[in-house]
Amino acid sequence: MSDPIISVQRLSKQVADSTGTLTILHDIDFALFPRETVAIVGASGSGKSTLLAILAGLDTPTAGTVTLAGTDLFALDEDERAALRARQVGFVFQNFQLLGHLTALENVMLPLELMGRRDARAAATEMLQRVGLSERLGHYPKLLSGGEQQRVALARAFVVRPAVLLADEPTGSLDFATGAKVMELMFDLNREAGTTLVLVTHDPQIAARCERQLRIEAGRLAQALAA
């Protein structure tokens, strides 16, 4: 078996609130492997999104380690983590997180330009064509439907060919039919790119499409099931 693309060891996250110390995640261990598809499931408030943010290095744990592509995330400073994310990680969020002052094409070009890619325009155009938006290149997000905005977000995530794609409730803002189409596209793109897909979802049908499910209950890893 290949080495893990992500390894999580004894991960905990605590925050202080008015009543004292709140434990969000407690002593979590698991590994994710190249090309795997994994759903993180559990009730609202169980710690799923916090876990996803820590996997990306966007949040920091109280204890434990996260190794991404052989690098200890939290042995790096914030700028070094950002550079590693840019090379290795793509994101898809429930609320799309597109920049409103940029066109669809410019939103997808942005991560390539930050990497210094001279072919940013051509690569972004090709990816938007792949997600069926060749007629929307010059449109701003406010002129796009929710499904179109999420397809732009998918194009932006996959255009850098990340080793890992993290998706937080990617269909949460979409109606059922549109969400189903977006998920079909996400899984298609993931197979083509050979990316490790990690998604947080409340939808059991989406979770069942993944090879494994990690169930978080009250901040603990309750079970890891094959779909």
Side-chain angles (χ1 to χ4, degrees):
M1 181 178 288
S2 59
D3 293 332
I5 186 68
I6 293 177
S7 179
V8 176
Q9 295 183 311
R10 303 189 66 83
L11 187 73
S12 295
K13 174 69 176 182
Q14 297 175 326
V15 296
D17 66 7
S18 58
T19 63
T21 300
L22 175 66
T23 298
I24 300 174
L25 297 170
H26 183 73
D27 207 24
I28 289 177
D29 291 90
F30 62 87
L32 305 175
F33 293 89
R35 306 181 75 92
E36 248 195 324
T37 56
V38 179
I40 300 174
V41 299
S44 295
S46 59
K48 304 185 305 297
S49 292
T50 299
L51 176 57
L52 201 71
I54 291 174
L55 295 183
L58 294 170
D59 196 358
T60 56
T62 305
T65 61
V66 175
T67 303
L68 171 62
T71 300
D72 182 348
L73 268 182
F74 301 104
L76 306 177
D77 64 28
E78 191 170 335
D79 289 342
E80 290 169 332
R81 287 199 299 273
L84 181 62
R85 277 197 301 274
R87 296 192 305 271
Q88 300 285 357
V89 182
F91 300 92
V92 179
F93 298 97
Q94 177 176 336
N95 59 353
F96 320 131
Q97 297 281 16
L98 301 178
L99 297 177
H101 64 286
L102 299 181
T103 65
L105 179 60
E106 290 166 342
N107 266 282
V108 179
M109 287 173 61
L110 183 59
L112 297 171
E113 291 176 328
L114 292 174
M115 294 170 67
R117 288 269 297 270
R118 294 185 177 182
D119 64 339
R121 179 172 294 273
T125 299
E126 181 179 353
M127 183 56 73
L128 284 165
Q129 291 171 343
R130 173 64 184 83
V131 301
L133 293 176
S134 57
E135 304 301 317
R136 298 287 190 269
L137 302 183
H139 286 59
Y140 290 93
K142 66 181 180 181
L143 301 176
L144 301 173
S145 69
E148 288 172 334
Q149 289 186 63
Q150 195 59 298
R151 282 189 278 159
V152 174
L154 282 177
R156 182 181 60 188
F158 277 106
V159 75
V160 297
R161 301 191 69 82
V164 178
L165 180 73
L166 305 176
D168 192 0
E169 296 285 0
T171 62
S173 297
L174 306 175
D175 64 72
F176 178 80
T178 302
K181 292 177 182 176
V182 165
M183 288 309 303
E184 196 66 41
L185 180 60
M186 177 181 288
F187 280 103
D188 285 348
L189 290 171
N190 195 67
R191 280 191 296 270
E192 292 172 15
T195 299
T196 298
L197 173 63
V198 185
L199 62 89
V200 166
T201 183
H202 284 99
D203 188 328
Q205 291 182 321
I206 293 174
R209 294 191 61 174
C210 295
E211 294 163 349
R212 278 200 294 155
Q213 298 179 32
L214 303 178
R215 179 169 296 279
I216 306 296
E217 293 181 359
R220 295 177 182 269
L221 182 60
Q223 53 186 340
L225 300 175

mmCIF file of all heavy atoms in Angstrom, residues 86 105-125 127 155-156 158-161:
data_model
loop_
_atom_site.group_PDB
_atom_site.id
_atom_site.type_symbol
_atom_site.label_atom_id
_atom_site.label_comp_id
_atom_site.label_asym_id
_atom_site.label_seq_id
_atom_site.Cartn_x
_atom_site.Cartn_y
_atom_site.Cartn_z
ATOM 1 N N ALA A 86 -1.348 25.848 -1.382
ATOM 2 C CA ALA A 86 -1.430 26.272 -2.779
ATOM 3 C C ALA A 86 -0.960 25.176 -3.724
ATOM 4 O O ALA A 86 -1.484 25.027 -4.833
ATOM 5 C CB ALA A 86 -0.607 27.551 -2.988
ATOM 6 N N LEU A 105 -13.891 33.410 -15.265
ATOM 7 C CA LEU A 105 -12.555 33.085 -15.765
ATOM 8 C C LEU A 105 -11.476 33.586 -14.815
ATOM 9 O O LEU A 105 -10.516 32.868 -14.498
ATOM 10 C CB LEU A 105 -12.351 33.683 -17.152
ATOM 11 C CG LEU A 105 -10.977 33.442 -17.796
ATOM 12 C CD1 LEU A 105 -10.706 31.947 -17.957
ATOM 13 C CD2 LEU A 105 -10.891 34.156 -19.151
ATOM 14 N N GLU A 106 -11.622 34.813 -14.323
ATOM 15 C CA GLU A 106 -10.612 35.388 -13.433
ATOM 16 C C GLU A 106 -10.558 34.644 -12.096
ATOM 17 O O GLU A 106 -9.485 34.482 -11.519
ATOM 18 C CB GLU A 106 -10.899 36.870 -13.225
ATOM 19 C CG GLU A 106 -10.640 37.709 -14.468
ATOM 20 C CD GLU A 106 -11.245 39.100 -14.383
ATOM 21 O OE1 GLU A 106 -12.139 39.325 -13.532
ATOM 22 O OE2 GLU A 106 -10.842 39.963 -15.190
ATOM 23 N N ASN A 107 -11.716 34.191 -11.597
ATOM 24 C CA ASN A 107 -11.726 33.408 -10.363
ATOM 25 C C ASN A 107 -10.926 32.120 -10.521
ATOM 26 O O ASN A 107 -10.202 31.715 -9.611
ATOM 27 C CB ASN A 107 -13.167 33.082 -9.956
ATOM 28 C CG ASN A 107 -13.760 34.076 -8.975
ATOM 29 O OD1 ASN A 107 -13.470 34.041 -7.784
ATOM 30 N ND2 ASN A 107 -14.593 34.973 -9.490
ATOM 31 N N VAL A 108 -11.079 31.456 -11.661
ATOM 32 C CA VAL A 108 -10.371 30.196 -11.882
ATOM 33 C C VAL A 108 -8.892 30.433 -12.196
ATOM 34 O O VAL A 108 -8.035 29.627 -11.843
ATOM 35 C CB VAL A 108 -11.062 29.393 -12.997
ATOM 36 C CG1 VAL A 108 -10.331 28.074 -13.263
ATOM 37 C CG2 VAL A 108 -12.515 29.107 -12.627
ATOM 38 N N MET A 109 -8.590 31.551 -12.835
ATOM 39 C CA MET A 109 -7.192 31.885 -13.121
ATOM 40 C C MET A 109 -6.400 32.212 -11.863
ATOM 41 O O MET A 109 -5.183 31.987 -11.823
ATOM 42 C CB MET A 109 -7.123 33.095 -14.065
ATOM 43 C CG MET A 109 -7.520 32.834 -15.501
ATOM 44 S SD MET A 109 -7.595 34.371 -16.473
ATOM 45 C CE MET A 109 -5.888 34.960 -16.344
ATOM 46 N N LEU A 110 -7.066 32.738 -10.847
ATOM 47 C CA LEU A 110 -6.367 33.307 -9.688
ATOM 48 C C LEU A 110 -5.370 32.343 -9.043
ATOM 49 O O LEU A 110 -4.201 32.715 -8.830
ATOM 50 C CB LEU A 110 -7.379 33.815 -8.658
ATOM 51 C CG LEU A 110 -6.788 34.510 -7.432
ATOM 52 C CD1 LEU A 110 -5.964 35.724 -7.849
ATOM 53 C CD2 LEU A 110 -7.907 34.926 -6.470
ATOM 54 N N PRO A 111 -5.751 31.105 -8.674
ATOM 55 C CA PRO A 111 -4.747 30.236 -8.038
ATOM 56 C C PRO A 111 -3.577 29.904 -8.951
ATOM 57 O O PRO A 111 -2.452 29.718 -8.485
ATOM 58 C CB PRO A 111 -5.551 28.975 -7.683
ATOM 59 C CG PRO A 111 -6.748 28.998 -8.561
ATOM 60 C CD PRO A 111 -7.066 30.445 -8.770
ATOM 61 N N LEU A 112 -3.820 29.862 -10.261
ATOM 62 C CA LEU A 112 -2.731 29.610 -11.206
ATOM 63 C C LEU A 112 -1.790 30.803 -11.270
ATOM 64 O O LEU A 112 -0.562 30.641 -11.329
ATOM 65 C CB LEU A 112 -3.305 29.324 -12.598
ATOM 66 C CG LEU A 112 -4.182 28.075 -12.714
ATOM 67 C CD1 LEU A 112 -4.855 28.031 -14.080
ATOM 68 C CD2 LEU A 112 -3.362 26.824 -12.484
ATOM 69 N N GLU A 113 -2.359 31.999 -11.252
ATOM 70 C CA GLU A 113 -1.524 33.205 -11.281
ATOM 71 C C GLU A 113 -0.689 33.310 -10.008
ATOM 72 O O GLU A 113 0.476 33.723 -10.057
ATOM 73 C CB GLU A 113 -2.414 34.435 -11.440
ATOM 74 C CG GLU A 113 -3.065 34.521 -12.810
ATOM 75 C CD GLU A 113 -4.021 35.686 -12.940
ATOM 76 O OE1 GLU A 113 -4.658 36.062 -11.930
ATOM 77 O OE2 GLU A 113 -4.166 36.222 -14.053
ATOM 78 N N LEU A 114 -1.278 32.919 -8.872
ATOM 79 C CA LEU A 114 -0.526 32.962 -7.621
ATOM 80 C C LEU A 114 0.639 31.983 -7.636
ATOM 81 O O LEU A 114 1.633 32.166 -6.934
ATOM 82 C CB LEU A 114 -1.451 32.660 -6.443
ATOM 83 C CG LEU A 114 -2.512 33.729 -6.149
ATOM 84 C CD1 LEU A 114 -3.466 33.263 -5.060
ATOM 85 C CD2 LEU A 114 -1.864 35.052 -5.760
ATOM 86 N N MET A 115 0.508 30.932 -8.454
ATOM 87 C CA MET A 115 1.588 29.953 -8.611
ATOM 88 C C MET A 115 2.598 30.388 -9.674
ATOM 89 O O MET A 115 3.598 29.705 -9.892
ATOM 90 C CB MET A 115 1.002 28.591 -9.002
ATOM 91 C CG MET A 115 0.141 27.962 -7.932
ATOM 92 S SD MET A 115 -0.754 26.498 -8.554
ATOM 93 C CE MET A 115 0.623 25.372 -8.840
ATOM 94 N N GLY A 116 2.324 31.490 -10.352
ATOM 95 C CA GLY A 116 3.226 31.969 -11.393
ATOM 96 C C GLY A 116 3.073 31.266 -12.722
ATOM 97 O O GLY A 116 3.979 31.328 -13.571
ATOM 98 N N ARG A 117 1.916 30.617 -12.944
ATOM 99 C CA ARG A 117 1.690 29.882 -14.186
ATOM 100 C C ARG A 117 1.433 30.852 -15.339
ATOM 101 O O ARG A 117 0.512 31.671 -15.294
ATOM 102 C CB ARG A 117 0.487 28.949 -14.021
ATOM 103 C CG ARG A 117 0.724 27.740 -13.134
ATOM 104 C CD ARG A 117 1.213 26.548 -13.919
ATOM 105 N NE ARG A 117 0.217 26.111 -14.887
ATOM 106 C CZ ARG A 117 -0.732 25.209 -14.628
ATOM 107 N NH1 ARG A 117 -0.826 24.653 -13.421
ATOM 108 N NH2 ARG A 117 -1.587 24.846 -15.567
ATOM 109 N N ARG A 118 2.223 30.748 -16.380
ATOM 110 C CA ARG A 118 2.050 31.628 -17.535
ATOM 111 C C ARG A 118 0.870 31.213 -18.411
ATOM 112 O O ARG A 118 0.400 32.006 -19.234
ATOM 113 C CB ARG A 118 3.338 31.647 -18.370
ATOM 114 C CG ARG A 118 4.515 32.273 -17.637
ATOM 115 C CD ARG A 118 5.730 32.373 -18.534
ATOM 116 N NE ARG A 118 6.849 33.027 -17.872
ATOM 117 C CZ ARG A 118 8.016 33.291 -18.431
ATOM 118 N NH1 ARG A 118 8.217 32.933 -19.707
ATOM 119 N NH2 ARG A 118 8.976 33.894 -17.756
ATOM 120 N N ASP A 119 0.424 29.981 -18.244
ATOM 121 C CA ASP A 119 -0.693 29.487 -19.046
ATOM 122 C C ASP A 119 -2.015 29.590 -18.287
ATOM 123 O O ASP A 119 -2.967 28.861 -18.575
ATOM 124 C CB ASP A 119 -0.459 28.030 -19.446
ATOM 125 C CG ASP A 119 -0.426 27.091 -18.231
ATOM 126 O OD1 ASP A 119 -0.183 27.584 -17.101
ATOM 127 O OD2 ASP A 119 -0.656 25.883 -18.405
ATOM 128 N N ALA A 120 -2.096 30.514 -17.315
ATOM 129 C CA ALA A 120 -3.264 30.589 -16.439
ATOM 130 C C ALA A 120 -4.551 30.770 -17.220
ATOM 131 O O ALA A 120 -5.550 30.078 -16.969
ATOM 132 C CB ALA A 120 -3.087 31.719 -15.421
ATOM 133 N N ARG A 121 -4.569 31.677 -18.182
ATOM 134 C CA ARG A 121 -5.807 31.943 -18.927
ATOM 135 C C ARG A 121 -6.236 30.714 -19.736
ATOM 136 O O ARG A 121 -7.409 30.321 -19.708
ATOM 137 C CB ARG A 121 -5.635 33.153 -19.848
ATOM 138 C CG ARG A 121 -6.880 33.490 -20.698
ATOM 139 C CD ARG A 121 -6.711 34.796 -21.436
ATOM 140 N NE ARG A 121 -6.654 35.904 -20.512
ATOM 141 C CZ ARG A 121 -7.739 36.554 -20.045
ATOM 142 N NH1 ARG A 121 -8.953 36.176 -20.436
ATOM 143 N NH2 ARG A 121 -7.608 37.562 -19.212
ATOM 144 N N ALA A 122 -5.309 30.095 -20.420
ATOM 145 C CA ALA A 122 -5.646 28.932 -21.241
ATOM 146 C C ALA A 122 -6.115 27.768 -20.377
ATOM 147 O O ALA A 122 -7.103 27.095 -20.693
ATOM 148 C CB ALA A 122 -4.440 28.524 -22.080
ATOM 149 N N ALA A 123 -5.410 27.508 -19.266
ATOM 150 C CA ALA A 123 -5.780 26.385 -18.392
ATOM 151 C C ALA A 123 -7.130 26.629 -17.740
ATOM 152 O O ALA A 123 -7.950 25.701 -17.615
ATOM 153 C CB ALA A 123 -4.705 26.178 -17.331
ATOM 154 N N ALA A 124 -7.391 27.874 -17.304
ATOM 155 C CA ALA A 124 -8.670 28.188 -16.674
ATOM 156 C C ALA A 124 -9.812 28.089 -17.675
ATOM 157 O O ALA A 124 -10.900 27.589 -17.355
ATOM 158 C CB ALA A 124 -8.614 29.590 -16.064
ATOM 159 N N THR A 125 -9.576 28.544 -18.898
ATOM 160 C CA THR A 125 -10.599 28.451 -19.943
ATOM 161 C C THR A 125 -10.944 26.996 -20.232
ATOM 162 O O THR A 125 -12.119 26.616 -20.329
ATOM 163 C CB THR A 125 -10.109 29.138 -21.233
ATOM 164 O OG1 THR A 125 -9.855 30.517 -20.965
ATOM 165 C CG2 THR A 125 -11.140 29.018 -22.337
ATOM 166 N N MET A 127 -10.623 24.433 -18.216
ATOM 167 C CA MET A 127 -11.329 23.823 -17.092
ATOM 168 C C MET A 127 -12.782 24.287 -17.027
ATOM 169 O O MET A 127 -13.696 23.502 -16.724
ATOM 170 C CB MET A 127 -10.599 24.138 -15.790
ATOM 171 C CG MET A 127 -11.219 23.474 -14.558
ATOM 172 S SD MET A 127 -11.368 21.660 -14.656
ATOM 173 C CE MET A 127 -9.658 21.176 -14.471
ATOM 174 N N ALA A 155 -14.156 24.168 -10.796
ATOM 175 C CA ALA A 155 -13.099 24.437 -11.776
ATOM 176 C C ALA A 155 -11.889 25.062 -11.102
ATOM 177 O O ALA A 155 -10.739 24.685 -11.376
ATOM 178 C CB ALA A 155 -13.633 25.348 -12.881
ATOM 179 N N ARG A 156 -12.129 26.013 -10.209
ATOM 180 C CA ARG A 156 -11.026 26.667 -9.493
ATOM 181 C C ARG A 156 -10.264 25.669 -8.630
ATOM 182 O O ARG A 156 -9.036 25.721 -8.520
ATOM 183 C CB ARG A 156 -11.572 27.808 -8.628
ATOM 184 C CG ARG A 156 -10.511 28.590 -7.873
ATOM 185 C CD ARG A 156 -11.121 29.680 -7.017
ATOM 186 N NE ARG A 156 -12.046 29.123 -6.023
ATOM 187 C CZ ARG A 156 -12.829 29.872 -5.241
ATOM 188 N NH1 ARG A 156 -12.799 31.188 -5.360
ATOM 189 N NH2 ARG A 156 -13.634 29.299 -4.369
ATOM 190 N N PHE A 158 -10.029 22.305 -9.042
ATOM 191 C CA PHE A 158 -9.352 21.238 -9.788
ATOM 192 C C PHE A 158 -8.299 21.753 -10.762
ATOM 193 O O PHE A 158 -7.456 20.979 -11.208
ATOM 194 C CB PHE A 158 -10.371 20.393 -10.550
ATOM 195 C CG PHE A 158 -11.028 19.330 -9.717
ATOM 196 C CD1 PHE A 158 -12.332 19.473 -9.292
ATOM 197 C CD2 PHE A 158 -10.343 18.183 -9.347
ATOM 198 C CE1 PHE A 158 -12.951 18.501 -8.521
ATOM 199 C CE2 PHE A 158 -10.939 17.204 -8.573
ATOM 200 C CZ PHE A 158 -12.248 17.366 -8.160
ATOM 201 N N VAL A 159 -8.321 23.046 -11.087
ATOM 202 C CA VAL A 159 -7.432 23.539 -12.139
ATOM 203 C C VAL A 159 -5.960 23.412 -11.757
ATOM 204 O O VAL A 159 -5.098 23.275 -12.627
ATOM 205 C CB VAL A 159 -7.792 24.999 -12.517
ATOM 206 C CG1 VAL A 159 -7.316 25.990 -11.449
ATOM 207 C CG2 VAL A 159 -7.239 25.365 -13.888
ATOM 208 N N VAL A 160 -5.666 23.411 -10.458
ATOM 209 C CA VAL A 160 -4.265 23.278 -10.025
ATOM 210 C C VAL A 160 -3.864 21.810 -9.844
ATOM 211 O O VAL A 160 -2.741 21.525 -9.450
ATOM 212 C CB VAL A 160 -4.018 24.054 -8.704
ATOM 213 C CG1 VAL A 160 -4.250 25.531 -8.908
ATOM 214 C CG2 VAL A 160 -4.894 23.512 -7.579
ATOM 215 N N ARG A 161 -4.806 20.905 -10.156
ATOM 216 C CA ARG A 161 -4.584 19.462 -10.016
ATOM 217 C C ARG A 161 -4.037 19.135 -8.625
ATOM 218 O O ARG A 161 -2.928 18.601 -8.474
ATOM 219 C CB ARG A 161 -3.664 18.929 -11.107
ATOM 220 C CG ARG A 161 -4.204 19.168 -12.506
ATOM 221 C CD ARG A 161 -3.448 18.415 -13.572
ATOM 222 N NE ARG A 161 -3.671 16.987 -13.477
ATOM 223 C CZ ARG A 161 -4.730 16.354 -13.984
ATOM 224 N NH1 ARG A 161 -5.686 17.038 -14.608
ATOM 225 N NH2 ARG A 161 -4.844 15.033 -13.850
#
